[in-house]
Amino acid sequence: IRKANEVVSIIRQNFPGAMGSSEILERVKCVLDMYNADNILLTQSVCPDEINHEHGDITDLFIENIGGGKVFHLGGLAGVPFTGKTGFGAYSAHVADGGHAFVLQAPHIGMSDDLELGKYSREGQDHAGSACGAAVGAMCHCMAGNPMPNLATATADWQMNFLIQEIGKRMPALNACAEGNEKQSELARQTHQIGKDMLEQCLSTDFGDADSMLFVMTGIQINMPFEFEDYFQPLSFEVRKKDGSVVDLYQEAFGSW
């Protein structure tokens, strides 16, 4: 019980408003029901790490309960939507007439059995490893003072090199944090912003018919230790309509914390 209380305390301290994946699903579904949005094609921009796609994770719950068992994947390393405008255009072209689009975008961060953020105790391994490995690796590259990669020539590892470039721009904020959980949680927030910024460049309501809506939710996926269900910290939730209006759904779904 003491360990469980420590886990929850760390999550509340570093990720205010985070909830279990199942609770996030129920709150989102309530909002979708208010909009009578029941013909939805789901897309996700989530890191491909297998710990993000296990039974009961938010990715799995959304696919089964919002996407009707289907999903279009936009994301690459760290949940950044590396398929870009082409990927979103291909996805949105699949939305049914009269249907709606729902985008879930999130980086992830693990918590190890030793309650360390930025690490995860994987089944079958005797030590915890980085999670998200790409985000942590990019920060370590920058902290070591290594040169910035040239994206024009780094075609064999372009996604990682893009992350290094973007994390490099954010090192002042990261360097201001204490080592350990504070720095790792800030890394997750910075990575979320990197992905959200790219997503914003890709989004369009040019799909479906006049009544089709675009729902967009972003946040941070938290890979929990022990028998905890994974948590999710929602950071934005909105709906965009064909008339150009945007409605902020965050308070409606998640309230204040």
Side-chain angles (χ1 to χ4, degrees), residues 28 31-43 66 88 91 99-105 199 203 205 207 211-218 236-241 247 249:
V28 169
V31 172
L32 295 178
D33 288 344
M34 289 171 49
Y35 280 84
N36 296 315
D38 57 0
N39 186 8
I40 291 174
L41 184 61
L42 174 70
T43 185
I66 293 177
F88 186 84
Y91 153 71
H100 310 288
F102 192 110
V103 181
L104 172 66
Q105 183 267 322
L199 181 66
L203 296 177
T205 55
F207 61 85
D211 295 321
S212 295
M213 294 176 284
L214 171 63
F215 295 87
V216 184
M217 189 174 87
T218 75
S236 69
F237 186 27
E238 64 186 29
V239 60
R240 304 184 184 196
K241 301 182 180 181
V247 180
L249 302 174

Side-chain angles (χ1 to χ4, degrees), residues 113-175:
D113 289 353
D114 292 325
L115 310 190
E116 293 180 287
L117 292 174
K119 296 183 178 181
Y120 190 76
S121 302
R122 297 176 188 269
E123 186 176 351
Q125 295 187 348
D126 62 3
H127 62 282
S130 298
C132 169
V136 172
M139 182 174 68
C140 289
H141 178 101
C142 297
M143 290 177 66
N146 293 321
M148 288 292 108
N150 183 345
L151 293 181
T153 59
T155 55
D157 203 11
W158 196 90
Q159 292 187 19
M160 184 61 186
N161 287 310
F162 175 86
L163 283 174
I164 292 171
Q165 289 268 18
E166 291 301 311
I167 293 296
K169 299 172 186 177
R170 293 161 171 80
M171 287 308 297
L174 291 165
N175 286 331

